[in-house]
Amino acid sequence: KTDANAEVINGGFVGGFSADGYYVYLKNRGLQLKPDLVVIEFFALNDIDDFAETVWDKTDTAGLPVQISSSFKKVDERILRIRGTSFKYQIPILRESHLFILLAGELEKKLPFLHEKSGILPKGDTLIHCTLNPNCINQFQKEEEKFYTVMNAIKKLTDENGVKLLVVLFPGDVQLYPWANNKYRIGAEPYLPPEDDKEFLQKRVIERLHKIEIETFDLYSIFDQQRNLGYPYFPNDGHFNTLGNSMIGYSLASFLKENKYTDSCNSLQRSEYKHKNTKLACKP
């Protein structure tokens, strides 16, 4: 039983994987939907790293992005593909043949020019999880400043349109489970956050966002306290599984209610996940 209606719009889109893309979308389309609240996620593993591969093809007079592309990925019929993919994977029918892949692999050994382009990897894929470590994050100084520049622009947009803005910070698997670093051991050794300061990046980001008066909600402590529920990430990458998404959704719904962002939780997805350390605002 509820006393008001709430509508949740998913503003995600193929190829929109960093805050500069969010800014362009919000300016061109998102604000036309007349939102009361804009929620932006910050994922600790790569939301600064990803700026290393985005290209601002066009900018306005203030130097803010108008058109963005990726130096590493491209959208092909709504599928996100890697640029410079080896020739053996480019023809749909042939790439399904194990024999062709085997023969093409041998051909690549004899003809080096057929190899995948070596310089195409973005910096985030060569300095894996560097931004989680205070001794390495300076390698992404330019990208980090771009993030804050774009977030400041988003804040101005929402303020001008009378819209509330909230940034929700998602923890990375290696911050909570150091053994998860084994997922990423491909080539270069991934960096790890300091043992005594696993939330180093979130603290740094929150401090800067608060300086430009952007409100934040950090999920690190919630995930840390709820380890007994199970592993909330997929086994082969850093994305959240069903449990992880349920924890995020329910915790966010409770936070919004408790902090009077919304008067009810009626249209939010109900979840079997129960927050055990915070008074619940919405009961499943």
Side-chain angles (χ1 to χ4, degrees), residues 129-138 191-194 200-201:
H129 303 158
C130 173
T131 54
L132 298 178
N133 191 296
N135 296 320
C136 187
I137 194 171
N138 64 307
Y191 287 83
L192 280 172
F200 154 76
L201 180 60

Side-chain angles (χ1 to χ4, degrees), residues 221-229 258 273-280:
S221 61
I222 291 173
F223 274 77
D224 189 31
Q225 294 162 8
Q226 302 297 322
R227 293 169 187 255
N228 62 306
L229 295 177
E258 291 165 5
Y273 163 72
K274 295 183 179 180
H275 196 312
K276 298 180 179 179
N277 295 295
T278 303
K279 180 181 178 183
L280 294 178

Side-chain angles (χ1 to χ4, degrees), residues 176-177 179 223 226-233 241 243-244 247:
L176 297 160
Y177 310 91
W179 52 261
F223 274 77
Q226 302 297 322
R227 293 169 187 255
N228 62 306
L229 295 177
Y231 187 60
Y233 302 88
N241 59 22
L243 171 64
M247 291 170 67

